[in-house]
Amino acid sequence: MRKRMKEIMGWWHSVLILGIILYLTLTPDPMSGQKIHLFEGADKVVHCFMFIALSAAMVYDMTVKSRQRHIRAGEVLVLALICILIGGMDELAQGYWVTGRSGDLLDFGADIVGSIIGTVGAHLWLKHRQQSGD
C-alpha cells in the first residue's frame, strides 16, 4: 500500500488537475448556481484548456518520474491517448450518470484538441529546455 501511494504521489500534478476536472465536469452544479455569460462555445475553450493542463502535467510528471530530461515520442502518444480516453469517459459519465449534465461530442472534440496540444507542447518545451541546458 505504501509503495502504491508513493507511486501516485509521483504523479501529484496530474492527479490534482484530474481531480479538478472531474469535480467541474461531474458535479451537477459546480458553480453553485452562478452563471457566467461569456460567448457562444466558451465551454469548448474551457474543455480544451482543462485538457491542455492535464496532458502537460502528465508529460511533466512522467519526465520527472523517469528521471529523464524528456520522454520519447511514443510515450507522448500514449499519454495523449490516455487523456483522450479520460475525456471520452468523462463525457459518457456526464451523459449517463450525472443528473443535470449531458455528454457533448463537441466537448469531447475540445478534450481531444487540448490533449494533443498539451502533450506535444509540453514535450517540445521540455526538449527545448534540455537542448538549451536549463
Side-chain angles (χ1 to χ4, degrees), residues 38-71:
L38 296 173
F39 55 89
E40 185 72 27
D43 65 313
K44 308 312 178 238
V45 175
V46 170
H47 272 264
C48 186
F49 277 106
M50 287 190 304
F51 278 81
I52 287 172
L54 176 62
S55 57
M58 289 179 74
V59 169
Y60 176 79
D61 287 345
M62 180 172 251
T63 302
V64 170
K65 183 179 180 310
S66 66
R67 299 189 194 321
Q68 299 175 23
R69 296 290 275 167
H70 70 280
I71 56 178

Side-chain angles (χ1 to χ4, degrees), residues 66-126:
S66 66
R67 299 189 194 321
Q68 299 175 23
R69 296 290 275 167
H70 70 280
I71 56 178
R72 294 185 300 275
E75 294 169 315
V76 172
L77 176 63
V78 168
L79 291 176
L81 292 174
I82 290 169
C83 289
I84 290 168
L85 181 63
I86 290 169
M89 291 182 346
D90 183 56
E91 290 304 319
L92 287 173
Q94 286 180 50
Y96 290 104
W97 294 300
V98 181
T99 304
R101 301 298 292 257
S102 61
D104 184 346
L105 195 55
L106 292 177
D107 285 350
F108 180 49
D111 298 345
I112 292 170
V113 170
S115 297
I116 293 168
I117 291 171
T119 52
V120 172
H123 177 66
L124 293 175
W125 180 71
L126 290 167

